[in-house]
Amino acid sequence: FVPARTIREARRQLEQIQPAAILLDILLPDEAAWRFLAEVKNDPATAAIPVFVATTAEDQQKGLALGADAYCMKPITREWLLQQLMPVAPRGLCGRCW
């Protein structure tokens, strides 16, 4: 788990590591999260990283059109998060964390 509180911080993290997945809130304050989602999915270096949107913005169609692998309205459930992460987490990771 590598937190990023801003899109700028998330971009810096992506330059340093290749995460197993990204959990993205579209409604980050003063941020262009939709653009970030599109950038991640259109960049060959990051396109394969699953992006799971968890937000209060009711725009699932837009999120999926921009490449989100899953879209959930907050509050998210533990079950939903596990369902998204288990297929992409390094083997054994979810068993230790959850």
Side-chain angles (χ1 to χ4, degrees):
F1 176 73
V2 179
R5 295 182 188 267
T6 65
I7 296 297
R8 176 181 285 176
E9 194 175 322
R11 285 187 180 111
R12 280 195 304 258
Q13 294 289 357
L14 278 175
E15 291 174 2
Q16 298 174 3
I17 63 168
Q18 177 117 12
I22 296 171
L23 183 61
L24 177 64
D25 187 348
I26 293 299
L27 295 180
L28 293 171
D30 302 320
E31 298 286 350
W34 290 117
R35 184 175 31 187
F36 175 72
L37 170 59
E39 288 172 10
V40 168
K41 290 312 211 171
N42 289 317
D43 183 340
T46 57
I49 300 170
V51 178
F52 309 125
V53 174
T55 189
T56 57
E58 293 190 32
D59 209 343
Q60 180 175 4
Q61 186 175 5
K62 181 176 182 176
L64 296 176
L66 290 172
D69 294 273
Y71 196 101
C72 184
M73 295 294 296
K74 286 182 177 179
I76 63 172
T77 64
R78 179 177 187 259
E79 291 77 21
W80 181 85
L81 188 57
L82 282 173
Q83 181 181 5
Q84 307 315 310
L85 292 176
M86 291 198 56
V88 299
R91 188 176 182 124
L93 179 64
C94 284
R96 288 195 309 266
C97 294
W98 311 99

